[in-house]
Amino acid sequence: MRDIRNILVLTGAGISAESGVATFRGPGGLWEGHRVEDVCTPQALHRDPALVHRFYDARRAQLAGVEPNAAHRALARLDAQWPGALLIVTQNVDDLHERGGAKRLLHMHGELRSALCADCGARRPWEGALPPGSECPACEAEALRPDIVFFGEMPYRMDTIERALAGADLFVSIGTSGAVYPAAGFVQTARYHGAETLELNLEPSEGSVWFAESRMGPAGMLVPEWVEQLLS
Ligand code: APR
């Protein structure tokens, strides 16, 4: 590997799988028994807000029963010890990266432990159930919804991500199927700017051909090995 200073790590549902959080595209293509379109689109929220809120309430409640695994902890170690620039961009809405200790972290698809006002756009930390029609403390509209980026909505902090991609010497993708854009296209952007590219996944992702190197296996094993290799 050439001289690596700036690293961008992209993570997906696969990194939380060994903690017991279901991935999106599991057997049958269902997410916890639901079609993604029924719980993860603005149309679904409009059609059946009670269902969508209940679904994310259940996901939020589930967080209390899961713990970060060796892969989250290894990335936190990298974050603490890496002297160059590092940004961990996660597509996950769970809080396992931060509970594992990661600091240089960005949730591009929102967060379960946050509520978003559909009226004024304010975001605030949220614990427990979030019934439809909950009042926004900022603007008093009864418009709080789960702070989740639905299909068809713009992911958070794309400007920061684009800058980090342009400056990255190494792009690493962990536990993501490469099925959902724009995240699925990050590897091509990173390559365009001259970065090394590495994929750590249970199986080849849809974008596997774009990576210079792919290592297949569980994140709980591959990520600590890779971090050890990088830091030593
Ligand atoms: N270790 C490594 N990879 C794993 C593991 C594991 N233990 N278990 C599963 N994987 C891999 C799967 O093989 C798959 O390629 O993780 C990937 C998970 O893919 P998805 O379920 O599609 O999750 P993700 O890529 O994060 O989904 C992207 O889609 O539904 C939307 O917004 C949602 O953020 C999500 C986005």
Side-chain angles (χ1 to χ4, degrees):
M1 270 196 187
R2 65 161 215 241
D3 235 13
I4 302 292
R5 234 194 110 63
N6 303 335
I7 304 176
L8 195 153
V9 178
L10 172 71
T11 70
I15 199 167
S16 296
E18 288 157 79
S19 294
V21 181
T23 57
F24 296 92
R25 289 165 190 81
L30 296 183
W31 181 22
E32 300 276 0
H34 292 267
R35 293 188 318 152
V36 168
E37 312 86 83
D38 291 339
V39 289
C40 202
T41 60
Q43 293 80 0
L45 181 65
H46 181 72
R47 197 169 50 235
D48 195 345
L51 170 76
V52 174
H53 278 247
R54 250 194 339 265
F55 179 77
Y56 290 101
D57 283 351
R59 306 279 77 72
R60 195 176 305 111
Q62 192 187 44
L63 294 180
V66 297
E67 296 293 333
N69 64 51
H72 298 105
R73 288 194 297 272
L75 284 185
R77 178 181 167 221
L78 181 66
D79 184 6
Q81 298 183 11
W82 185 251
L86 171 84
L87 180 63
I88 302 167
V89 176
T90 187
Q91 298 170 86
N92 298 344
V93 294
D94 66 49
D95 59 354
L96 294 178
H97 278 302
E98 45 271 58
R99 277 163 57 199
K103 301 271 186 283
R104 292 183 270 181
L105 171 72
L106 182 164
H107 281 272
M108 67 177 288
H109 288 169
E111 296 174 61
L112 284 168
R113 294 177 63 201
S114 173
L116 167 72
C117 178
D119 211 42
C120 74
R123 305 172 72 194
R124 51 169 293 129
W126 198 268
E127 303 291 340
L130 174 64
S134 298
E135 185 178 297
C136 170
C139 74
E140 296 181 0
E142 293 177 345
L144 288 185
R145 54 166 269 191
D147 190 4
I148 303 293
V149 176
F150 292 145
F151 282 94
E153 296 180 330
M154 185 64 92
Y156 289 122
R157 312 273 306 274
M158 284 305 296
D159 49 346
T160 304
I161 297 172
E162 293 287 350
R163 264 199 310 278
L165 280 170
D169 303 308
L170 174 64
F171 172 78
V172 185
S173 170
I174 303 170
T176 175
S177 59
V180 175
Y181 284 81
F186 289 173
V187 60
Q188 293 176 60
T189 307
R191 274 174 72 112
Y192 173 79
H193 290 287
E196 299 270 355
T197 53
L198 169 67
E199 166 174 64
L200 307 175
N201 210 47
L202 203 54
E203 61 199 358
S205 69
E206 291 187 21
S208 208
V209 292
W210 295 105
F211 290 86
E213 186 187 349
S214 295
R215 300 181 191 170
M216 299 296 112
M221 185 187 85
L222 293 183
V223 180
E225 276 175 9
W226 167 68
V227 168
E228 181 61 37
Q229 181 192 347
L230 203 62
L231 291 176
S232 62

PDB file of all heavy atoms in Angstrom, residues 11-15 17-18 23-26 36 40 91-92 109 149 151 175-180 200-203 205 217-220, ligand 1:
ATOM      1  N   THR A  11     -19.739   2.241   6.541  1.00  0.00           N
ATOM      2  CA  THR A  11     -20.283   1.007   7.114  1.00  0.00           C
ATOM      3  C   THR A  11     -21.772   0.858   6.790  1.00  0.00           C
ATOM      4  O   THR A  11     -22.465   1.834   6.557  1.00  0.00           O
ATOM      5  CB  THR A  11     -20.098   0.932   8.656  1.00  0.00           C
ATOM      6  OG1 THR A  11     -20.955   1.886   9.290  1.00  0.00           O
ATOM      7  CG2 THR A  11     -18.664   1.179   9.071  1.00  0.00           C
ATOM      8  N   GLY A  12     -22.211  -0.399   6.792  1.00  0.00           N
ATOM      9  CA  GLY A  12     -23.614  -0.716   6.554  1.00  0.00           C
ATOM     10  C   GLY A  12     -24.088  -1.746   7.564  1.00  0.00           C
ATOM     11  O   GLY A  12     -23.362  -2.099   8.516  1.00  0.00           O
ATOM     12  N   ALA A  13     -25.280  -2.247   7.338  1.00  0.00           N
ATOM     13  CA  ALA A  13     -25.948  -3.121   8.302  1.00  0.00           C
ATOM     14  C   ALA A  13     -25.110  -4.340   8.695  1.00  0.00           C
ATOM     15  O   ALA A  13     -25.236  -4.849   9.812  1.00  0.00           O
ATOM     16  CB  ALA A  13     -27.286  -3.579   7.725  1.00  0.00           C
ATOM     17  N   GLY A  14     -24.231  -4.799   7.798  1.00  0.00           N
ATOM     18  CA  GLY A  14     -23.431  -5.992   8.083  1.00  0.00           C
ATOM     19  C   GLY A  14     -22.533  -5.836   9.296  1.00  0.00           C
ATOM     20  O   GLY A  14     -22.217  -6.824   9.963  1.00  0.00           O
ATOM     21  N   ILE A  15     -22.126  -4.599   9.618  1.00  0.00           N
ATOM     22  CA  ILE A  15     -21.229  -4.431  10.771  1.00  0.00           C
ATOM     23  C   ILE A  15     -21.980  -4.631  12.083  1.00  0.00           C
ATOM     24  O   ILE A  15     -21.382  -4.978  13.102  1.00  0.00           O
ATOM     25  CB  ILE A  15     -20.482  -3.064  10.748  1.00  0.00           C
ATOM     26  CG1 ILE A  15     -19.254  -3.117  11.668  1.00  0.00           C
ATOM     27  CG2 ILE A  15     -21.396  -1.916  11.120  1.00  0.00           C
ATOM     28  CD1 ILE A  15     -18.276  -1.979  11.504  1.00  0.00           C
ATOM     29  N   ALA A  17     -24.567  -6.804  12.294  1.00  0.00           N
ATOM     30  CA  ALA A  17     -25.245  -8.106  12.244  1.00  0.00           C
ATOM     31  C   ALA A  17     -24.833  -9.004  13.412  1.00  0.00           C
ATOM     32  O   ALA A  17     -25.678  -9.652  14.043  1.00  0.00           O
ATOM     33  CB  ALA A  17     -24.961  -8.796  10.911  1.00  0.00           C
ATOM     34  N   GLU A  18     -23.538  -9.013  13.722  1.00  0.00           N
ATOM     35  CA  GLU A  18     -23.078  -9.890  14.813  1.00  0.00           C
ATOM     36  C   GLU A  18     -23.494  -9.378  16.198  1.00  0.00           C
ATOM     37  O   GLU A  18     -23.341 -10.085  17.195  1.00  0.00           O
ATOM     38  CB  GLU A  18     -21.559 -10.070  14.730  1.00  0.00           C
ATOM     39  CG  GLU A  18     -21.157 -10.952  13.559  1.00  0.00           C
ATOM     40  CD  GLU A  18     -19.720 -10.706  13.109  1.00  0.00           C
ATOM     41  OE1 GLU A  18     -18.802 -11.206  13.764  1.00  0.00           O
ATOM     42  OE2 GLU A  18     -19.530  -9.992  12.097  1.00  0.00           O
ATOM     43  N   THR A  23     -30.054  -7.186   9.250  1.00  0.00           N
ATOM     44  CA  THR A  23     -29.679  -6.433   8.051  1.00  0.00           C
ATOM     45  C   THR A  23     -30.955  -6.148   7.246  1.00  0.00           C
ATOM     46  O   THR A  23     -32.023  -6.689   7.542  1.00  0.00           O
ATOM     47  CB  THR A  23     -28.673  -7.212   7.179  1.00  0.00           C
ATOM     48  OG1 THR A  23     -29.245  -8.456   6.843  1.00  0.00           O
ATOM     49  CG2 THR A  23     -27.347  -7.425   7.907  1.00  0.00           C
ATOM     50  N   PHE A  24     -30.840  -5.280   6.229  1.00  0.00           N
ATOM     51  CA  PHE A  24     -32.032  -4.879   5.476  1.00  0.00           C
ATOM     52  C   PHE A  24     -32.445  -5.936   4.469  1.00  0.00           C
ATOM     53  O   PHE A  24     -33.613  -6.206   4.293  1.00  0.00           O
ATOM     54  CB  PHE A  24     -31.779  -3.556   4.745  1.00  0.00           C
ATOM     55  CG  PHE A  24     -31.545  -2.445   5.705  1.00  0.00           C
ATOM     56  CD1 PHE A  24     -30.268  -2.120   6.116  1.00  0.00           C
ATOM     57  CD2 PHE A  24     -32.613  -1.758   6.233  1.00  0.00           C
ATOM     58  CE1 PHE A  24     -30.060  -1.116   7.034  1.00  0.00           C
ATOM     59  CE2 PHE A  24     -32.421  -0.758   7.160  1.00  0.00           C
ATOM     60  CZ  PHE A  24     -31.128  -0.432   7.557  1.00  0.00           C
ATOM     61  N   ARG A  25     -31.446  -6.436   3.760  1.00  0.00           N
ATOM     62  CA  ARG A  25     -31.765  -7.355   2.675  1.00  0.00           C
ATOM     63  C   ARG A  25     -31.459  -8.789   3.112  1.00  0.00           C
ATOM     64  O   ARG A  25     -30.612  -9.450   2.562  1.00  0.00           O
ATOM     65  CB  ARG A  25     -30.997  -6.941   1.416  1.00  0.00           C
ATOM     66  CG  ARG A  25     -31.592  -5.667   0.880  1.00  0.00           C
ATOM     67  CD  ARG A  25     -30.796  -4.922  -0.129  1.00  0.00           C
ATOM     68  NE  ARG A  25     -31.440  -3.629  -0.333  1.00  0.00           N
ATOM     69  CZ  ARG A  25     -31.294  -2.576   0.472  1.00  0.00           C
ATOM     70  NH1 ARG A  25     -30.492  -2.634   1.515  1.00  0.00           N
ATOM     71  NH2 ARG A  25     -31.941  -1.458   0.246  1.00  0.00           N
ATOM     72  N   GLY A  26     -32.175  -9.196   4.144  1.00  0.00           N
ATOM     73  CA  GLY A  26     -31.995 -10.555   4.656  1.00  0.00           C
ATOM     74  C   GLY A  26     -32.793 -11.539   3.821  1.00  0.00           C
ATOM     75  O   GLY A  26     -33.252 -11.203   2.728  1.00  0.00           O
ATOM     76  N   VAL A  36     -39.318  -2.931   2.620  1.00  0.00           N
ATOM     77  CA  VAL A  36     -38.685  -1.633   2.879  1.00  0.00           C
ATOM     78  C   VAL A  36     -39.613  -0.495   2.446  1.00  0.00           C
ATOM     79  O   VAL A  36     -39.756   0.515   3.137  1.00  0.00           O
ATOM     80  CB  VAL A  36     -37.318  -1.573   2.172  1.00  0.00           C
ATOM     81  CG1 VAL A  36     -36.755  -0.165   2.168  1.00  0.00           C
ATOM     82  CG2 VAL A  36     -36.327  -2.515   2.857  1.00  0.00           C
ATOM     83  N   CYS A  40     -40.170   2.637   4.864  1.00  0.00           N
ATOM     84  CA  CYS A  40     -38.990   3.484   4.660  1.00  0.00           C
ATOM     85  C   CYS A  40     -39.147   4.426   3.471  1.00  0.00           C
ATOM     86  O   CYS A  40     -38.190   4.666   2.733  1.00  0.00           O
ATOM     87  CB  CYS A  40     -37.764   2.586   4.494  1.00  0.00           C
ATOM     88  SG  CYS A  40     -36.227   3.439   4.866  1.00  0.00           S
ATOM     89  N   GLN A  91     -24.236   4.094   7.299  1.00  0.00           N
ATOM     90  CA  GLN A  91     -25.611   4.098   6.803  1.00  0.00           C
ATOM     91  C   GLN A  91     -26.557   3.603   7.897  1.00  0.00           C
ATOM     92  O   GLN A  91     -27.770   3.651   7.732  1.00  0.00           O
ATOM     93  CB  GLN A  91     -25.733   3.170   5.591  1.00  0.00           C
ATOM     94  CG  GLN A  91     -24.869   3.582   4.415  1.00  0.00           C
ATOM     95  CD  GLN A  91     -24.852   2.478   3.361  1.00  0.00           C
ATOM     96  OE1 GLN A  91     -25.714   2.409   2.501  1.00  0.00           O
ATOM     97  NE2 GLN A  91     -23.865   1.594   3.440  1.00  0.00           N
ATOM     98  N   ASN A  92     -25.977   3.140   8.995  1.00  0.00           N
ATOM     99  CA  ASN A  92     -26.799   2.531  10.040  1.00  0.00           C
ATOM    100  C   ASN A  92     -27.464   3.587  10.914  1.00  0.00           C
ATOM    101  O   ASN A  92     -26.882   4.635  11.188  1.00  0.00           O
ATOM    102  CB  ASN A  92     -25.942   1.608  10.908  1.00  0.00           C
ATOM    103  CG  ASN A  92     -25.342   0.471  10.111  1.00  0.00           C
ATOM    104  OD1 ASN A  92     -25.800   0.206   9.001  1.00  0.00           O
ATOM    105  ND2 ASN A  92     -24.333  -0.186  10.639  1.00  0.00           N
ATOM    106  N   HIS A 109     -27.794   8.299   7.086  1.00  0.00           N
ATOM    107  CA  HIS A 109     -29.212   7.920   6.922  1.00  0.00           C
ATOM    108  C   HIS A 109     -30.050   8.200   8.167  1.00  0.00           C
ATOM    109  O   HIS A 109     -31.120   7.618   8.323  1.00  0.00           O
ATOM    110  CB  HIS A 109     -29.321   6.431   6.537  1.00  0.00           C
ATOM    111  CG  HIS A 109     -28.883   6.154   5.128  1.00  0.00           C
ATOM    112  ND1 HIS A 109     -28.693   4.884   4.639  1.00  0.00           N
ATOM    113  CD2 HIS A 109     -28.603   6.987   4.102  1.00  0.00           C
ATOM    114  CE1 HIS A 109     -28.306   4.942   3.365  1.00  0.00           C
ATOM    115  NE2 HIS A 109     -28.235   6.208   3.016  1.00  0.00           N
ATOM    116  N   VAL A 149     -33.607   8.842   7.129  1.00  0.00           N
ATOM    117  CA  VAL A 149     -33.626   9.282   5.725  1.00  0.00           C
ATOM    118  C   VAL A 149     -34.334   8.202   4.912  1.00  0.00           C
ATOM    119  O   VAL A 149     -33.816   7.093   4.746  1.00  0.00           O
ATOM    120  CB  VAL A 149     -32.192   9.515   5.203  1.00  0.00           C
ATOM    121  CG1 VAL A 149     -32.219   9.862   3.723  1.00  0.00           C
ATOM    122  CG2 VAL A 149     -31.507  10.626   6.000  1.00  0.00           C
ATOM    123  N   PHE A 151     -36.193   6.458   1.516  1.00  0.00           N
ATOM    124  CA  PHE A 151     -35.898   6.396   0.076  1.00  0.00           C
ATOM    125  C   PHE A 151     -36.518   7.613  -0.600  1.00  0.00           C
ATOM    126  O   PHE A 151     -37.668   7.957  -0.319  1.00  0.00           O
ATOM    127  CB  PHE A 151     -36.451   5.111  -0.543  1.00  0.00           C
ATOM    128  CG  PHE A 151     -35.587   3.925  -0.238  1.00  0.00           C
ATOM    129  CD1 PHE A 151     -35.859   3.109   0.840  1.00  0.00           C
ATOM    130  CD2 PHE A 151     -34.455   3.655  -1.004  1.00  0.00           C
ATOM    131  CE1 PHE A 151     -35.036   2.033   1.150  1.00  0.00           C
ATOM    132  CE2 PHE A 151     -33.631   2.586  -0.705  1.00  0.00           C
ATOM    133  CZ  PHE A 151     -33.919   1.774   0.365  1.00  0.00           C
ATOM    134  N   GLY A 175     -19.478  -4.227   5.401  1.00  0.00           N
ATOM    135  CA  GLY A 175     -20.817  -4.736   5.701  1.00  0.00           C
ATOM    136  C   GLY A 175     -21.953  -4.015   5.010  1.00  0.00           C
ATOM    137  O   GLY A 175     -22.987  -3.756   5.610  1.00  0.00           O
ATOM    138  N   THR A 176     -21.765  -3.679   3.741  1.00  0.00           N
ATOM    139  CA  THR A 176     -22.876  -3.064   3.010  1.00  0.00           C
ATOM    140  C   THR A 176     -23.040  -3.746   1.653  1.00  0.00           C
ATOM    141  O   THR A 176     -22.059  -4.113   1.010  1.00  0.00           O
ATOM    142  CB  THR A 176     -22.704  -1.527   2.876  1.00  0.00           C
ATOM    143  OG1 THR A 176     -23.745  -1.000   2.059  1.00  0.00           O
ATOM    144  CG2 THR A 176     -21.358  -1.132   2.321  1.00  0.00           C
ATOM    145  N   SER A 177     -24.298  -3.895   1.232  1.00  0.00           N
ATOM    146  CA  SER A 177     -24.584  -4.658   0.016  1.00  0.00           C
ATOM    147  C   SER A 177     -24.285  -3.878  -1.256  1.00  0.00           C
ATOM    148  O   SER A 177     -24.251  -4.437  -2.342  1.00  0.00           O
ATOM    149  CB  SER A 177     -26.060  -5.083   0.005  1.00  0.00           C
ATOM    150  OG  SER A 177     -26.884  -3.934   0.058  1.00  0.00           O
ATOM    151  N   GLY A 178     -24.072  -2.564  -1.127  1.00  0.00           N
ATOM    152  CA  GLY A 178     -23.801  -1.750  -2.321  1.00  0.00           C
ATOM    153  C   GLY A 178     -25.022  -1.624  -3.215  1.00  0.00           C
ATOM    154  O   GLY A 178     -24.915  -1.412  -4.424  1.00  0.00           O
ATOM    155  N   ALA A 179     -26.209  -1.715  -2.597  1.00  0.00           N
ATOM    156  CA  ALA A 179     -27.447  -1.681  -3.389  1.00  0.00           C
ATOM    157  C   ALA A 179     -28.099  -0.306  -3.382  1.00  0.00           C
ATOM    158  O   ALA A 179     -28.993  -0.047  -4.183  1.00  0.00           O
ATOM    159  CB  ALA A 179     -28.432  -2.719  -2.822  1.00  0.00           C
ATOM    160  N   VAL A 180     -27.681   0.563  -2.460  1.00  0.00           N
ATOM    161  CA  VAL A 180     -28.397   1.823  -2.273  1.00  0.00           C
ATOM    162  C   VAL A 180     -27.481   3.022  -2.512  1.00  0.00           C
ATOM    163  O   VAL A 180     -26.446   3.170  -1.851  1.00  0.00           O
ATOM    164  CB  VAL A 180     -29.010   1.881  -0.850  1.00  0.00           C
ATOM    165  CG1 VAL A 180     -29.658   3.232  -0.587  1.00  0.00           C
ATOM    166  CG2 VAL A 180     -30.053   0.776  -0.685  1.00  0.00           C
ATOM    167  N   LEU A 200     -14.647  -5.025   2.980  1.00  0.00           N
ATOM    168  CA  LEU A 200     -14.694  -6.090   3.982  1.00  0.00           C
ATOM    169  C   LEU A 200     -16.165  -6.478   4.127  1.00  0.00           C
ATOM    170  O   LEU A 200     -16.972  -5.696   4.634  1.00  0.00           O
ATOM    171  CB  LEU A 200     -14.153  -5.596   5.335  1.00  0.00           C
ATOM    172  CG  LEU A 200     -12.769  -4.933   5.339  1.00  0.00           C
ATOM    173  CD1 LEU A 200     -12.431  -4.401   6.736  1.00  0.00           C
ATOM    174  CD2 LEU A 200     -11.695  -5.920   4.880  1.00  0.00           C
ATOM    175  N   ASN A 201     -16.532  -7.663   3.663  1.00  0.00           N
ATOM    176  CA  ASN A 201     -17.950  -8.045   3.650  1.00  0.00           C
ATOM    177  C   ASN A 201     -18.070  -9.563   3.716  1.00  0.00           C
ATOM    178  O   ASN A 201     -17.134 -10.286   3.387  1.00  0.00           O
ATOM    179  CB  ASN A 201     -18.612  -7.515   2.363  1.00  0.00           C
ATOM    180  CG  ASN A 201     -20.088  -7.200   2.546  1.00  0.00           C
ATOM    181  OD1 ASN A 201     -20.475  -6.556   3.514  1.00  0.00           O
ATOM    182  ND2 ASN A 201     -20.908  -7.659   1.619  1.00  0.00           N
ATOM    183  N   LEU A 202     -19.252 -10.003   4.127  1.00  0.00           N
ATOM    184  CA  LEU A 202     -19.483 -11.448   4.231  1.00  0.00           C
ATOM    185  C   LEU A 202     -19.429 -12.118   2.863  1.00  0.00           C
ATOM    186  O   LEU A 202     -19.009 -13.263   2.727  1.00  0.00           O
ATOM    187  CB  LEU A 202     -20.854 -11.677   4.877  1.00  0.00           C
ATOM    188  CG  LEU A 202     -21.115 -12.996   5.563  1.00  0.00           C
ATOM    189  CD1 LEU A 202     -20.054 -13.320   6.600  1.00  0.00           C
ATOM    190  CD2 LEU A 202     -22.498 -12.966   6.226  1.00  0.00           C
ATOM    191  N   GLU A 203     -19.869 -11.370   1.854  1.00  0.00           N
ATOM    192  CA  GLU A 203     -19.914 -11.902   0.485  1.00  0.00           C
ATOM    193  C   GLU A 203     -19.638 -10.728  -0.448  1.00  0.00           C
ATOM    194  O   GLU A 203     -19.728  -9.577  -0.032  1.00  0.00           O
ATOM    195  CB  GLU A 203     -21.312 -12.480   0.203  1.00  0.00           C
ATOM    196  CG  GLU A 203     -22.385 -11.413   0.318  1.00  0.00           C
ATOM    197  CD  GLU A 203     -23.791 -11.971   0.507  1.00  0.00           C
ATOM    198  OE1 GLU A 203     -23.966 -13.190   0.514  1.00  0.00           O
ATOM    199  OE2 GLU A 203     -24.706 -11.140   0.628  1.00  0.00           O
ATOM    200  N   SER A 205     -20.137  -7.656  -2.567  1.00  0.00           N
ATOM    201  CA  SER A 205     -21.274  -6.734  -2.665  1.00  0.00           C
ATOM    202  C   SER A 205     -21.603  -6.512  -4.140  1.00  0.00           C
ATOM    203  O   SER A 205     -20.872  -6.962  -5.027  1.00  0.00           O
ATOM    204  CB  SER A 205     -20.924  -5.403  -2.004  1.00  0.00           C
ATOM    205  OG  SER A 205     -19.952  -4.743  -2.795  1.00  0.00           O
ATOM    206  N   GLY A 217     -15.669 -12.275   4.795  1.00  0.00           N
ATOM    207  CA  GLY A 217     -15.779 -12.930   6.100  1.00  0.00           C
ATOM    208  C   GLY A 217     -16.599 -12.055   7.021  1.00  0.00           C
ATOM    209  O   GLY A 217     -17.059 -10.977   6.621  1.00  0.00           O
ATOM    210  N   PRO A 218     -16.803 -12.500   8.263  1.00  0.00           N
ATOM    211  CA  PRO A 218     -17.576 -11.696   9.217  1.00  0.00           C
ATOM    212  C   PRO A 218     -16.790 -10.460   9.662  1.00  0.00           C
ATOM    213  O   PRO A 218     -15.581 -10.534   9.891  1.00  0.00           O
ATOM    214  CB  PRO A 218     -17.810 -12.651  10.398  1.00  0.00           C
ATOM    215  CG  PRO A 218     -16.797 -13.728  10.261  1.00  0.00           C
ATOM    216  CD  PRO A 218     -16.385 -13.806   8.820  1.00  0.00           C
ATOM    217  N   ALA A 219     -17.510  -9.343   9.788  1.00  0.00           N
ATOM    218  CA  ALA A 219     -16.857  -8.082  10.167  1.00  0.00           C
ATOM    219  C   ALA A 219     -16.151  -8.201  11.512  1.00  0.00           C
ATOM    220  O   ALA A 219     -15.081  -7.610  11.706  1.00  0.00           O
ATOM    221  CB  ALA A 219     -17.906  -6.969  10.224  1.00  0.00           C
ATOM    222  N   GLY A 220     -16.740  -8.974  12.436  1.00  0.00           N
ATOM    223  CA  GLY A 220     -16.157  -9.116  13.770  1.00  0.00           C
ATOM    224  C   GLY A 220     -14.759  -9.705  13.734  1.00  0.00           C
ATOM    225  O   GLY A 220     -13.974  -9.545  14.683  1.00  0.00           O
TER     226      GLY A 220
HETATM  227  N1  APR B   1     -20.003  -9.247   8.496  1.00  0.00           N
HETATM  228  C1  APR B   1     -19.819  -8.574   7.335  1.00  0.00           C
HETATM  229  N2  APR B   1     -20.794  -8.387   6.432  1.00  0.00           N
HETATM  230  C2  APR B   1     -22.008  -8.914   6.702  1.00  0.00           C
HETATM  231  C3  APR B   1     -22.286  -9.617   7.890  1.00  0.00           C
HETATM  232  C4  APR B   1     -21.207  -9.789   8.813  1.00  0.00           C
HETATM  233  N3  APR B   1     -21.348 -10.457   9.956  1.00  0.00           N
HETATM  234  N4  APR B   1     -23.576 -10.015   7.860  1.00  0.00           N
HETATM  235  C5  APR B   1     -24.104  -9.575   6.713  1.00  0.00           C
HETATM  236  N5  APR B   1     -23.157  -8.903   6.006  1.00  0.00           N
HETATM  237  C6  APR B   1     -23.284  -8.237   4.712  1.00  0.00           C
HETATM  238  C7  APR B   1     -24.303  -8.853   3.781  1.00  0.00           C
HETATM  239  O1  APR B   1     -23.686  -9.897   3.023  1.00  0.00           O
HETATM  240  C8  APR B   1     -24.704  -7.668   2.909  1.00  0.00           C
HETATM  241  O2  APR B   1     -23.839  -7.542   1.790  1.00  0.00           O
HETATM  242  O3  APR B   1     -23.758  -6.921   4.960  1.00  0.00           O
HETATM  243  C9  APR B   1     -24.502  -6.474   3.850  1.00  0.00           C
HETATM  244  C10 APR B   1     -25.793  -5.851   4.360  1.00  0.00           C
HETATM  245  O4  APR B   1     -26.503  -5.321   3.274  1.00  0.00           O
HETATM  246  P1  APR B   1     -27.917  -4.607   3.448  1.00  0.00           P
HETATM  247  O5  APR B   1     -28.807  -5.436   4.325  1.00  0.00           O
HETATM  248  O6  APR B   1     -28.408  -4.249   2.110  1.00  0.00           O
HETATM  249  O7  APR B   1     -27.588  -3.290   4.317  1.00  0.00           O
HETATM  250  P2  APR B   1     -26.968  -1.909   3.815  1.00  0.00           P
HETATM  251  O8  APR B   1     -26.033  -2.103   2.688  1.00  0.00           O
HETATM  252  O9  APR B   1     -26.471  -1.218   5.043  1.00  0.00           O
HETATM  253  O10 APR B   1     -28.263  -1.150   3.304  1.00  0.00           O
HETATM  254  C11 APR B   1     -28.112   0.146   2.809  1.00  0.00           C
HETATM  255  O11 APR B   1     -30.456   0.425   2.494  1.00  0.00           O
HETATM  256  O12 APR B   1     -32.595   0.001   3.292  1.00  0.00           O
HETATM  257  C12 APR B   1     -31.617   0.953   3.125  1.00  0.00           C
HETATM  258  O13 APR B   1     -31.299   2.921   4.348  1.00  0.00           O
HETATM  259  C13 APR B   1     -31.173   1.536   4.438  1.00  0.00           C
HETATM  260  O14 APR B   1     -28.959   2.126   5.214  1.00  0.00           O
HETATM  261  C14 APR B   1     -29.711   1.132   4.531  1.00  0.00           C
HETATM  262  C15 APR B   1     -29.326   0.986   3.091  1.00  0.00           C
END
